[in-house]
């Protein structure tokens, strides 16, 4: 089933859009199945589950972390994650920097998670907040081990494509404002800060129409999760 699902999802994604297979809550065996079909980028959202799977699965898997990350768990994620997509606070940026200094890695890729949905429970920077933070700090001095690669976000849990479009549009606009503003001013290129990560199983076709170049798809590949 995973083979067919993955083929279907891949066929629906244009060239230039990266597929991240969201494997949270699914066993390592299912990840191995997708891996056999050529999928290499997987994402997890819980630190203990993430570490367990990293230890069991092939070393050439590219792992992304996409869940809310408590600062006391950062040290367990930083050595293994190629990218942390869910950077949602200044404190977390500082902790990732601090823990990176204890590894032999020179840098880690991160995305800035933006809060654009209506649900208060979702985390992320407000566009004004991240704009102020990056304008008021020298990025290379304060976070020398962090490579800012782009933005990430989630639309509201509503069945309303027009609302998704507005929210994805807000992520895209914030990405552009950051790039044209504080990032350009600090010498960070459009090539480096190029990732727009939005779109999940329900809404990824709309997300791609609204400029996403990285989609995070779980259910459509692995089926429903048992929480
Ligand atoms: C679970 C999750 C996804 C994938 O959701 P699906 O609806 O299963 O495709 C994408 N992004 C984040 C941040 C998630 O937590």
């Amino acid at each position: 089933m995973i083979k067919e699902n993955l083929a279907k999802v891949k066929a629906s994604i244009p060239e230039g859009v990266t597929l991240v297979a969201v494997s949270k809550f699914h066993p390592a065996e299912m990840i191995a199945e997708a891996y056999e079909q050529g999928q290499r980028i997987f994402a997890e959202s819980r630190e203990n589950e993430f570490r367990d799977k990293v230890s069991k699965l092939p070393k050439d898997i590219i792992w992304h972390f996409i869940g809310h990350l408590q600062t006391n768990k950062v040290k367990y994620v930083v050595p293994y994650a190629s990218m942390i997509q869910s950077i949602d606070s200044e404190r977390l940026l500082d902790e990732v920097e601090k823990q990176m200094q204890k590894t032999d890695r020179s840098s880690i890729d991160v995305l800035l998670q933006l809060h654009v949905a209506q649900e208060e429970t979702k985390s992320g920077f407000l566009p004004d907040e991240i704009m102020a933070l990056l304008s008021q700090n020298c990025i290379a001095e304060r976070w020398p081990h962090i490579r800012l690669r782009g933005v990430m976000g989630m639309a509201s849990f509503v069945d309303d494509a027009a609302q998704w479009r507005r929210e994805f549009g807000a992520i895209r606009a914030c990405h552009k404002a950051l790039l044209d503003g504080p990032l350009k001013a600090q010498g960070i290129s459009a090539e480096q800060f190029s990732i727009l990560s939005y779109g999940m199983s329900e809404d990824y076709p709309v997300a791609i129409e609204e400029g996403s170049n990285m989609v995070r798809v779980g259910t459509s590949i692995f089926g429903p999760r048992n929480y």
Side-chain angles (χ1 to χ4, degrees):
M1 207 48 201
I2 289 174
K3 181 179 175 182
E4 290 77 12
N5 288 348
L6 187 61
K8 220 186 207 169
V9 170
K10 274 162 115 174
S12 70
I13 291 175
E15 212 177 309
V17 176
T18 302
L19 173 62
V20 176
V22 178
S23 47
K24 64 186 188 195
F25 294 90
H26 293 297
E29 294 71 37
M30 288 174 81
I31 301 177
E33 241 183 286
Y35 178 88
E36 277 164 34
Q37 299 308 314
Q39 180 65 27
R40 287 295 177 273
I41 309 178
F42 293 89
E44 290 287 329
S45 63
R46 296 186 305 179
E47 165 274 323
N48 51 353
E49 188 182 345
F50 171 70
R51 276 201 291 167
D52 178 55
K53 288 172 176 172
V54 168
S55 71
K56 286 181 179 157
L57 286 154
K59 297 296 164 227
D60 63 338
I61 285 183
I62 297 164
W63 293 102
H64 288 194
F65 196 85
I66 59 170
H68 179 66
L69 191 52
Q70 290 170 282
T71 45
N72 62 341
K73 302 290 171 64
V74 169
K75 59 176 171 290
Y76 303 120
V77 169
V78 149
Y80 312 109
S82 164
M83 186 186 287
I84 300 176
Q85 295 206 11
S86 43
I87 296 291
D88 57 8
S89 71
E90 181 174 358
R91 215 170 137 227
L92 191 54
L93 271 175
D94 288 340
E95 184 63 18
V96 171
E97 174 58 36
K98 182 176 155 198
Q99 295 302 330
M100 277 297 292
Q101 289 176 10
K102 299 179 185 168
T103 72
D104 53 11
R105 298 180 64 183
S106 59
S107 70
I108 186 166
D109 284 355
V110 312
L111 301 182
L112 302 165
Q113 183 171 353
L114 302 178
H115 181 115
V116 294
Q118 65 189 13
E119 291 100 15
E120 283 302 320
T121 50
K122 286 209 170 87
S123 51
F125 292 102
L126 296 172
D128 288 349
E129 206 182 348
I130 188 64
M131 187 63 121
L133 180 65
L134 297 186
S135 301
Q136 290 158 12
N137 283 278
C138 175
I139 297 164
E141 265 175 30
R142 183 162 171 187
W143 303 293
H145 293 79
I146 292 179
R147 248 166 75 86
L148 297 178
R149 298 300 317 280
V151 294
M152 179 271 230
M154 270 179 275
S156 298
F157 285 123
V158 292
D159 198 12
D160 180 355
Q163 181 162 350
W164 298 342
R165 282 185 201 281
R166 281 196 299 278
E167 292 171 352
F168 292 147
I171 300 172
R172 191 184 198 174
C174 181
H175 172 263
K176 185 173 185 327
L178 290 172
L179 195 54
D180 293 346
L183 298 187
K184 194 171 273 176
Q186 299 193 38
I188 293 176
S189 67
E191 288 71 41
Q192 178 182 320
F193 197 71
S194 59
I195 300 177
L196 293 143
S197 173
Y198 44 89
M200 317 186 355
S201 292
E202 277 288 296
D203 55 18
Y204 77 82
V206 172
I208 292 168
E209 286 175 16
E210 297 301 326
S212 168
N213 57 23
M214 179 173 279
V215 294
R216 309 178 308 268
V217 179
T219 310
S220 294
I221 297 171
F222 298 107
R225 290 176 286 272
N226 290 314
Y227 289 106

